[in-house]
């Protein structure tokens, strides 16, 4: 039974990079008819916040990434304590007392000497008396996991065969001074207890994986299949961190406010960075069917928001009015005009946000744009335009009549009249727009 999980820390809102992780895990579970777990990694009680938990869930629900089960690390401390006891029993934990500043100095000294900044295990050789003394001096200690200094190897679902020398990694702190268990251990305990079979996450976790594989083995758990995807990068090539992701227009909250359609976003994120083309899908089955983790590459991939908006525009072009009825009603478009309005403007909008602007134009008319040399022509043309309401034949009949009296043709005729009526050089097909246009200001 395939089981995956998306494990955000509720310390910020989700951005497109997080969504890519969530989506990959979701699609793997869905494809195998397995279980997708939402695990809230809130062991860091100070930095975690309920407001972010809500926002994470809202975003996932908005996108239709429904989870089968929800878990919270903050509710599982007892299980972590059991695992700690087990590791103590195995002699894999040792007490360490260095203050963060000492560690920093040690690391600096190592780097200066051209050595990898790996923790020197000085605390391991302390005698009982020395430990007692340090406990009194420093207060509580932390507990580190004693890594087995050998190579850790696994076949990564995206990066291929990986091998990390555990001797080049510091023994990780698993228990803080206040006794709280930290993420690297909590995550492994959860993955074992919840039967997680596949873990997809960003490649910033590759070293964690080497460490965690050793913790899995120490606890006697089955190591899941790991896959590490390349991080998405922002406009300047910078990796999308939590801070950056939520400030750029790439936070999911922001895209939602901007009324980006979920399937435009999902279609893009389920394929970018893979050898499959980004194609618009409008249901989860299609998205799932073509999804194949092995087709993703390990190179960093730039997320170009313009590409997303272009995809969104394409998506809207094929959307029937029934999918946007609520949206149209919410901006005050009467039922009888909903369909003609939608069919007229849907080819000319990037997001549903733009509907308001077009509706305002239909309702109030636009400031006409008329060149000096066209003034008389437009004046005459306006005398030939009947009063609203217009219908689908109005544009054709009107322009034919204007052509007959003015002799103008082509752009001189059509573009000049379009600009007089809509104030813009481009926009919806005029025959389709006329029936929803209620005010013509160029008349005055
Ligand atoms: N809470 C971790 C993160 O957000 C989860 C990493 C993992 O998938 O294990 O980076």
């Amino acid at each position: 039974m395939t089981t995956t999980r998306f494990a955000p820390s509720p310390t910020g809102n989700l951005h497109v990079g997080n969504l890519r992780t969530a989506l990959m895990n979701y699609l793997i579970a869905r494809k195998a008819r397995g279980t997708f777990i939402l695990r809230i990694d809130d062991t860091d009680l100070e930095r975690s916040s309920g407001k972010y938990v809500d926002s994470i869930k809202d975003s996932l629900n908005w996108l239709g990434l429904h989870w089968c089960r929800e878990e919270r690390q903050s509710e599982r401390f007892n299980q972590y304590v059991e695992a700690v006891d087990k590791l103590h029993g195995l002699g894999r934990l040792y007490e360490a007392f260095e203050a963060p500043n000492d560690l920093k100095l040690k690391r600096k000294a190592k780097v200066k000497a051209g050595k990898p900044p790996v923790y020197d295990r000085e605390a391991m050789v302390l005698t009982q008396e020395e430990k007692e003394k340090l406990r009194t001096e420093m207060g509580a200690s932390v507990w580190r996991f004693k890594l087995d200094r050998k190579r850790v190897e696994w076949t990564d679902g995206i990066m291929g065969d990986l091998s990390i020398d555990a001797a080049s990694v510091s023994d990780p702190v698993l228990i803080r001074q206040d006794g709280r268990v930290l993420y690297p251990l909590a995550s492994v305990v959860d993955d074992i207890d919840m039967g997680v079979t596949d873990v997809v996450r960003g490649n910033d976790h590759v070293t964690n994986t080497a460490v965690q594989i050793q913790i899995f083995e120490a606890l006697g758990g089955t190591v899941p299949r790991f896959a590490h995807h390349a991080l998405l990068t922002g406009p300047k090539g910078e990796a999308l961190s939590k801070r950056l992701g939520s400030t750029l227009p790439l936070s999911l909250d922001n895209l939602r406010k901007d009324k980006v359609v979920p399937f435009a976003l999902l279609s893009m994120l389920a394929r970018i960075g893979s050898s499959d083309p980004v194609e618009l899908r409008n249901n989860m089955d299609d998205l799932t069917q073509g999804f194949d983790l092995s087709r993703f590459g390990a190179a960093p991939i730039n997320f170009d928001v313009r590409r997303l908006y272009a995809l969104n525009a394409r998506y809207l072009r094929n959307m029937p009015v029934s999918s946007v009825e609520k949206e149209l009603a919410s901006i005050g478009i009467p039922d009888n005009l909903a369909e003609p309005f939608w069919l007229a403007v849907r080819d000319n909008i990037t997001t549903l946000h733009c509907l308001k602007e077009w509706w305002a134009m239909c309702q109030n008319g636009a400031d006409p744009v008329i060149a000096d040399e066209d003034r008389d022509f437009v004046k005459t043309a306006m005398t030939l335009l009947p009063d609203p309401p217009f219908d689908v034949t109005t544009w054709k009949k009107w322009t034919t009549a204007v052509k007959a009296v003015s002799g103008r043709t082509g752009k001189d005729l059509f573009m000049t009249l379009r600009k007089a009526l809509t104030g813009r050089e481009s926009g919806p097909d005029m025959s389709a727009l006329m029936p929803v246009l209620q005010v013509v200001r160029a008349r005055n």
Side-chain angles (χ1 to χ4, degrees):
M1 170 80 164
T2 299
T3 301
T4 64
R5 59 12 176 228
F6 173 51
S9 312
T11 54
N13 296 324
L14 299 182
H15 55 68
V16 288
N18 307 123
L19 172 59
R20 188 154 175 254
T21 309
L23 186 58
M24 286 176 162
N25 284 293
Y26 174 85
L27 291 174
I28 290 170
R30 197 170 196 279
K31 198 164 181 176
R33 297 183 195 285
T35 304
F36 173 62
I37 300 174
L38 171 62
R39 189 184 84 199
I40 303 292
D41 280 6
D42 53 357
T43 46
D44 186 344
L45 297 175
E46 289 83 31
R47 290 177 59 230
S48 300
S49 144
K51 100 175 169 205
Y52 293 127
V53 175
D54 293 345
S55 142
I56 288 168
K57 288 194 202 170
D58 276 358
S59 293
L60 294 178
N61 277 324
W62 165 58
L63 292 159
L65 301 190
H66 304 299
W67 52 97
C68 314
R69 193 169 139 191
E70 182 186 337
E71 297 284 351
R72 288 208 184 199
Q73 292 196 322
S74 57
E75 290 166 6
R76 292 180 42 80
F77 288 130
N78 290 343
Q79 281 84 340
Y80 306 148
V81 170
E82 264 175 44
V84 166
D85 288 346
K86 191 162 178 182
L87 293 178
H88 272 306
L90 293 165
R92 295 297 294 269
L93 296 175
Y94 65 93
E95 216 172 352
F97 298 88
E98 290 89 348
N101 230 6
D102 297 340
L103 291 170
K104 209 166 147 190
L105 292 176
K106 278 188 184 199
R107 274 196 301 269
K108 262 195 178 162
K110 290 233 166 182
V111 173
K112 212 167 170 191
K115 291 187 187 149
V118 178
Y119 176 64
D120 56 13
R121 293 184 166 174
E122 218 173 295
M124 262 173 70
V125 294
L126 294 171
T127 62
Q128 280 310 327
E129 292 78 52
E130 283 169 325
K131 283 188 201 169
E132 279 304 330
K133 193 166 166 269
L134 282 165
R135 269 186 216 123
T136 343
E137 274 172 23
M138 312 278 302
S141 54
V142 300
W143 290 83
R144 287 183 182 264
F145 178 70
K146 185 169 175 278
L147 287 168
D148 199 354
R149 290 193 159 164
K150 60 174 191 187
R151 297 202 80 86
V152 182
E153 294 177 341
W154 75 95
T155 301
D156 193 274
I158 293 174
M159 300 176 78
D161 288 338
L162 291 184
S163 167
I164 289 190
D165 185 2
S168 67
V169 181
S170 295
D171 290 337
V173 173
L174 295 190
I175 305 156
R176 296 201 322 186
Q177 271 171 326
D178 59 6
R180 198 133 349 114
V181 168
L182 289 171
Y183 154 79
L185 175 59
S187 180
V188 172
V189 173
D190 293 344
D191 287 341
I192 296 174
D193 287 357
M194 295 166 201
V196 170
T197 55
D198 296 78
V199 174
V200 183
R201 54 190 181 183
N203 62 10
D204 50 336
H205 280 289
V206 167
T207 309
N208 264 345
T209 298
V211 166
Q212 288 181 324
I213 286 178
Q214 288 208 1
I215 303 177
F216 272 105
E217 287 168 348
L219 292 175
T222 308
V223 180
R225 283 180 288 268
F226 279 102
H228 296 85
H229 60 72
L231 296 183
L232 293 183
T233 59
K236 294 187 192 116
E238 67 287 38
L240 282 186
S241 63
K242 199 152 253 174
R243 189 184 50 76
L244 209 65
S246 42
T247 52
L248 289 169
L250 300 180
S251 83
L252 299 189
D253 274 356
N254 192 65
L255 294 172
R256 186 180 180 183
K257 265 189 223 126
D258 227 5
K259 297 194 191 284
V260 166
V261 180
F263 270 101
L265 188 55
L266 295 173
S267 299
M268 182 157 168
L269 284 171
R271 298 288 186 276
I272 51 164
S274 82
S275 48
D276 292 318
V278 172
E279 277 165 7
L280 265 182
R281 313 276 168 181
N282 55 16
N283 65 70
M284 246 354 144
D285 283 341
D286 286 355
L287 209 60
T288 309
Q289 246 160 36
F291 179 78
D292 183 352
L293 198 63
S294 68
R295 300 181 68 84
F296 283 81
I301 165 101
N302 181 259
F303 184 85
D304 185 349
V305 77
R306 286 168 304 186
R307 201 167 160 206
L308 171 65
Y309 282 95
L311 206 62
N312 199 66
R314 260 175 48 208
Y315 191 91
L316 296 178
R317 253 174 252 167
N318 294 314
M319 212 142 107
V321 67
S322 53
S323 308
V324 284
E325 265 161 1
K326 264 201 204 141
E327 191 68 38
L328 298 175
S330 78
I331 55 173
I333 301 179
D335 284 353
N336 63 326
L337 291 183
E339 185 158 24
F341 175 75
W342 175 244
L343 296 181
V345 303
R346 69 177 178 179
D347 289 355
N348 288 276
I349 53 177
T350 323
T351 73
L352 293 175
H353 240 358
C354 316
L355 288 176
K356 259 192 188 156
E357 204 183 315
W358 283 113
W359 178 239
M361 194 215 76
C362 291
Q363 244 185 334
N364 311 319
D367 283 334
V369 171
I370 307 167
D372 284 345
E373 64 272 24
D374 292 329
R375 293 222 170 270
D376 291 342
F377 163 73
V378 171
K379 212 170 181 180
T380 314
M382 287 304 146
T383 61
L384 298 169
L385 183 67
D387 285 332
F390 306 125
D391 64 33
V392 281
T393 65
T394 307
W395 178 254
K396 177 109 210 318
K397 284 186 190 151
W398 181 45
T399 49
T400 308
V402 176
K403 182 179 168 182
V405 300
S406 67
R408 284 206 191 196
T409 56
K411 208 173 160 199
D412 276 350
L413 172 71
F414 296 109
M415 178 61 87
T416 311
L417 294 180
R418 171 188 284 280
K419 287 196 309 195
L421 260 50
T422 68
R424 295 164 173 81
E425 283 195 2
S426 61
D429 171 67
M430 289 303 292
S431 298
L433 187 68
M434 292 306 280
V436 279
L437 196 64
Q438 288 155 46
V439 175
V440 173
R441 291 206 215 152
R443 215 190 268 287
N444 310 319

